[in-house]
Amino acid sequence: MSSKKLPLFSSSLVLLMTTPAALAAENSIWSFDGSARLRYENLQNTVRANTSGDDQVLVSQVLLNLGMEHDNLIAGFELSDQRAWMHDSGTPLGTDDINALEPINAWVGWQQDDTFSVKAGRMTLDIGSRRLMARQRFRNTISAYDGVYGNYQMDGWQTQAFYFAPVDRRPGDRDALEDNEAKLDKQSDDRIWGLHFSQSGETNLELYYFGLNEDGNGADISTFGVRSLKPASAQHWHYEVEGAYQTGETAGEINGQLGNLDVSAALLHAHIGYQFSDPLSSRVELIADYVSGDDDPNDDEFNRFNSLGGVTRPDYGPTGIYGAFAISNLASPGVKWAFQPNANDTAFITYRAIWLDSKTDSQSRTGLQDVTGDSGRFAGHQVDARWRLNFTEQFRLELGATHLVKGEFLEDAPGAPGTGNSTYVYSQASYRF
């Protein structure tokens, strides 16, 4: 960022932060909060197709949230600003990194006690495990949706329903992204809707249905899923099992001719763990994941699972300039150790071995694919670690490192970087106000 742009940017942030705060202080029906964070990322030996060497980026995120609650009337407005610096022409910049000065929440609603609420407008949303619908935490930008959302709770059951049009982040061209150009996002022609039932208790049960219609590729997909969860507690076993199946149609090629492909795809996640009462409050989990890939690119069926609006960081490691794995075409066992180094800090270390479900389908975000299958299925061994240092309730420092020992697929697939094993590190400072 040039020296001329930085003072203007800083002044704008000060104005945006102080004006709503003053308004909130004058009237108790208003609330104001926000956060600011800065993250430096460094990657040695890239994992993406047709790239080479090392990479780095510095990304910032500022969120300002203004809320209103008066009797049964509620409203929310959130302004986000995400930018990137210290990158070069080879850095994989996209709208997942940069989205300057954009409202991601702008809705009005009605609530009745703790039983019923409905909202309409632009919003972000977490549902269930967050694997299929979520507000991003690690990714620098946050997905927003235009539409309506309802929530009803009674007798230990919660019902959530929504009908959304995803919001396309803009600008999308490389030059504008490199300049951190601000351009209002635009509602897409796609539609996503869903119904989610959940019951809370000693064990939690969830049942859900999500529908997706993508105008661009003719996809019309239904997702049916179930999840059972027993939360972790000291000196007890805990577990999670989630399964989802997708059916419907999507556009594609059948023996070189355009046509409609029948969708048949699946997701399965399972882990079992134990929470110890040792000085580190250790929690150890055995993990297994399966997400289908497309078995045969020449048949009339499409088997690659669509992750809808889900997030991948909790299961498969950091995104950013790394982002080697996602909810697509993989089979992966692993083990996780989560612990508390002291009363304020939290940490974890996760190991995964990762195979492709289909050796002829594309591999996640790397863009690598071997349609012949000659590069095999094994993608590699990944070790992912994170340490969060909570200095105060407002200020947090987060340190992370991920090391990937590349398997035969990541080494031999057409377009593979061929630069050896990858190491990704980041440091992130955040402040809430």
Side-chain angles (χ1 to χ4, degrees):
M1 175 178 284
S2 70
S3 58
K4 293 182 179 180
K5 292 182 179 179
L6 184 56
L8 177 60
F9 176 58
S10 302
S11 301
S12 300
L13 288 182
V14 171
L15 180 63
L16 288 168
M17 291 165 59
T18 56
T19 303
L23 177 63
E26 292 177 2
N27 197 325
S28 60
I29 70 172
W30 296 94
S31 61
F32 172 74
D33 58 56
S35 63
R37 79 180 190 193
L38 193 65
R39 182 171 69 227
Y40 173 73
E41 306 177 28
N42 183 276
L43 175 63
Q44 295 182 4
N45 297 329
T46 180
V47 295
R48 300 174 192 259
N50 303 310
T51 60
S52 62
D54 304 337
D55 211 343
Q56 67 174 356
V57 70
L58 179 70
V59 292
S60 67
Q61 180 192 84
V62 176
L63 303 174
L64 304 172
N65 183 54
L66 181 66
M68 187 277 289
E69 183 174 343
H70 180 64
D71 295 330
N72 299 106
L73 184 64
I74 54 176
F77 179 81
E78 184 176 19
L79 183 68
S80 70
D81 186 89
Q82 299 98 1
R83 306 187 182 218
W85 300 276
M86 295 178 62
H87 45 76
D88 58 30
S89 59
T91 303
L93 288 181
T95 58
D96 52 346
D97 305 295
I98 299 166
N99 196 18
L101 290 176
E102 184 65 36
I104 57 173
N105 273 289
W107 54 265
V108 296
W110 181 268
Q111 65 179 5
Q112 183 66 44
D113 301 323
D114 295 327
T115 303
F116 172 76
S117 65
V118 62
K119 300 190 296 186
R122 178 165 296 184
M123 64 195 80
T124 61
L125 185 66
D126 281 332
I127 289 187
S129 67
R130 304 178 62 240
R131 293 187 178 94
L132 298 179
M133 176 59 66
R135 175 184 168 114
Q136 287 76 13
R137 304 287 194 273
F138 185 86
R139 198 183 78 181
N140 204 43
T141 62
I142 300 170
S143 297
Y145 301 86
D146 290 344
V148 61
Y149 165 81
N151 178 38
Y152 178 75
Q153 300 185 65
M154 181 65 71
D155 298 329
W157 280 92
Q158 180 183 26
T159 301
Q160 300 176 82
F162 63 89
Y163 185 87
F164 287 151
V167 176
D168 289 337
R169 294 180 299 278
R170 301 194 302 172
D173 63 283
R174 178 77 187 198
D175 290 342
L177 288 170
E178 289 189 346
D179 290 339
N180 291 306
E181 182 178 312
K183 186 176 183 179
L184 282 177
D185 296 345
K186 182 181 179 181
Q187 183 185 115
S188 75
D189 294 327
D190 300 341
R191 296 292 182 267
I192 183 169
W193 60 94
L195 193 60
H196 186 278
F197 303 97
S198 59
Q199 183 184 44
S200 300
E202 184 177 344
T203 59
N204 301 337
L205 176 65
E206 300 175 14
L207 303 169
Y208 57 84
Y209 162 77
F210 295 141
L212 174 68
N213 184 276
E214 292 184 331
D215 183 71
N217 61 12
D220 192 355
I221 300 172
S222 293
T223 303
F224 301 89
V226 60
R227 179 181 181 230
S228 179
L229 170 70
K230 182 177 181 181
S233 60
Q235 294 183 293
H236 286 87
W237 292 91
H238 60 274
Y239 71 85
E240 179 188 7
V241 178
E242 180 171 13
Y245 177 73
Q246 291 182 337
T247 184
E249 289 187 341
T250 188
E253 288 189 4
I254 307 173
N255 296 320
Q257 301 294 319
L258 292 177
N260 290 328
L261 307 179
D262 294 328
V263 173
S264 179
L267 170 150
L268 178 63
H269 169 87
H271 74 248
I272 184 170
Y274 188 83
Q275 175 82 55
F276 295 90
S277 59
D278 63 321
L280 294 176
S281 298
S282 297
R283 188 177 81 247
V284 177
E285 295 174 350
L286 298 177
I287 309 165
D289 283 275
Y290 167 80
V291 191
S292 63
D294 192 34
D295 291 330
D296 184 348
N298 297 313
D299 65 8
D300 60 356
E301 194 171 79
F302 189 75
N303 312 112
R304 187 187 309 149
F305 192 83
N306 189 314
S307 61
L308 306 179
V311 294
T312 59
R313 171 60 173 125
D315 288 332
Y316 306 122
T319 52
I321 59 173
Y322 177 65
F325 303 103
I327 307 175
S328 174
N329 190 27
L330 62 78
S332 174
V335 60
K336 179 178 182 178
W337 174 36
F339 58 98
Q340 290 186 256
N342 55 59
N344 297 321
D345 300 349
T346 61
F348 70 73
I349 300 174
T350 303
Y351 162 76
R352 280 185 175 275
I354 303 175
W355 285 262
L356 276 65
D357 172 54
S358 170
K359 61 183 179 181
T360 57
D361 196 11
S362 61
Q363 189 273 318
S364 299
R365 299 186 180 94
T366 64
L368 294 171
Q369 183 175 9
D370 186 347
V371 295
T372 68
D374 292 341
S375 300
R377 281 193 170 90
F378 187 56
H381 304 277
Q382 178 179 272
V383 178
D384 178 35
R386 186 187 72 192
W387 191 317
R388 282 180 172 171
L389 298 90
N390 299 294
F391 293 100
T392 68
E393 291 185 0
Q394 290 78 33
F395 181 66
R396 170 191 289 175
L397 179 64
E398 183 171 308
L399 306 174
T402 305
H403 184 67
L404 174 64
V405 179
K406 296 178 181 178
E408 57 180 345
F409 178 84
L410 293 180
E411 289 183 335
D412 300 336
T419 53
N421 299 327
S422 299
T423 300
Y424 168 84
V425 296
Y426 73 90
S427 58
Q428 174 178 289
S430 58
Y431 183 79
R432 301 186 63 86
F433 48 88

